[in-house]
Amino acid sequence: GAGVSQSPSNKVTEKGKDVELRCDPISGHTALYWYRQSLGQGLEFLIYFQGNSAPDKSGLPSDRFSAERTGGSVSTLTIQRTQQEDSAVYLCASSRTSGGSTQYFGPGTRLTVL
Amino acid sequence: GIQVEQSPPDLILQEGANSTLRCNFSDSVNNLQWFHQNPWGQLINLFYIPSGTKQNGRLSATTVATERYSLLYISSSQTTDSGVYFCAVFSGTYKYIFGTGTRLKVLA
């Protein structure tokens, strides 16, 4: 049983470029969460999937951000036309079900926008 | 929207001491969770506790939903307890709202 994995572990990009971050949840986990943590700051919730659907996308910071999940498994978070304020660690977590199940976190993707 | 406040913001303990961390929230919530982020950034989900009391080893948590607060108790603290403790509430709008965290340092 592998844990939650994320790729890439580090990404350096230039302002204006698009980036795609990937999350592989624990097999069989139906709920998947994306969070963001800016340097030295707290946690910011971005979006939550139950299966392949996201009930509420309003947590995404701007319309440059989008997320999808296919096959009830892998999820990708895409940031278009990256800005310097997008620099942060992006964390993914999965849980067996939504609601009261324990969330298991991946190691995160550190994104740096130059 | 819901406001989540944590106190104290910073806490330094001598190994073996006990502590209580508090999380206040401004409205009714469906779900409340406590998380620990170690000094290397790894996050662990400690408790799902929308109401009542739970215990896991030296850690326990109590949520009094009617009074809109939750407490995390750490007994006989160890250096490995160091890090940041976050509470988060899940509202009916399918979002987690996080507190700003309590940064704990346990000294050997």
Side-chain angles (χ1 to χ4, degrees):
Chain A
V4 177
S5 61
Q6 293 186 243
S7 61
S9 55
N10 279 286
K11 176 71 177 180
V12 180
T13 190
E14 293 180 349
K15 178 181 172 181
K17 301 282 190 183
D18 298 351
V19 296
E20 191 172 277
L21 312 181
R22 176 186 169 107
C23 173
D24 280 273
I26 293 172
S27 178
H29 280 195
T30 62
L32 185 147
Y33 310 79
W34 282 100
Y35 301 93
R36 178 169 76 170
Q37 188 170 34
S38 301
L39 183 64
Q41 300 299 309
L43 285 160
E44 178 185 6
F45 170 81
L46 298 180
I47 194 169
Y48 143 74
F49 287 91
Q50 179 56 45
N52 290 334
S53 67
D56 184 346
K57 298 184 179 181
S58 64
L60 295 173
S62 76
D63 58 8
R64 297 185 294 104
F65 287 70
S66 63
E68 66 175 14
R69 189 180 186 195
T70 55
S73 181
V74 171
S75 177
T76 54
L77 178 68
T78 301
I79 310 172
Q80 296 179 309
R81 304 182 303 281
T82 52
Q83 304 294 312
Q84 288 184 334
E85 61 263 27
D86 300 334
S87 297
V89 176
Y90 289 81
L91 293 154
C92 173
S94 72
S95 63
R96 188 171 50 84
T97 63
S98 61
S101 292
T102 298
Q103 295 183 40
Y104 296 88
F105 284 81
T109 292
R110 182 176 298 277
L111 175 66
T112 303
V113 182
L114 302 177
Chain B
I2 295 177
Q3 305 296 313
V4 182
E5 295 181 351
Q6 291 186 243
S7 60
D10 295 278
L11 186 58
I12 299 176
L13 298 175
Q14 201 66 41
E15 196 169 32
N18 303 327
S19 65
T20 301
L21 282 56
R22 187 175 179 106
C23 173
N24 291 333
F25 44 98
S26 61
D27 205 345
S28 301
V29 297
N30 301 328
N31 178 342
L32 185 144
Q33 307 216 20
W34 283 96
F35 299 87
H36 175 230
Q37 187 169 37
N38 69 20
W40 298 271
Q42 181 62 43
L43 269 158
I44 292 176
N45 191 183
L46 298 174
F47 292 104
Y48 161 73
I49 186 161
S51 63
T53 297
K54 288 188 177 178
Q55 180 153 9
N56 184 1
R58 295 180 298 101
L59 302 181
S60 65
T62 295
T63 296
V64 183
T66 53
E67 297 187 22
R68 299 179 184 165
Y69 72 89
S70 183
L71 302 174
L72 178 70
Y73 303 96
I74 304 173
S75 65
S76 304
S77 59
Q78 300 177 0
T79 55
T80 52
D81 296 331
S82 296
V84 183
Y85 291 82
F86 295 100
C87 70
V89 300
F90 191 77
S91 73
T93 57
Y94 300 100
K95 293 181 192 176
Y96 272 106
I97 311 297
F98 282 83
T100 52
T102 291
R103 186 174 300 274
L104 174 64
K105 185 166 186 177
V106 181
L107 304 175

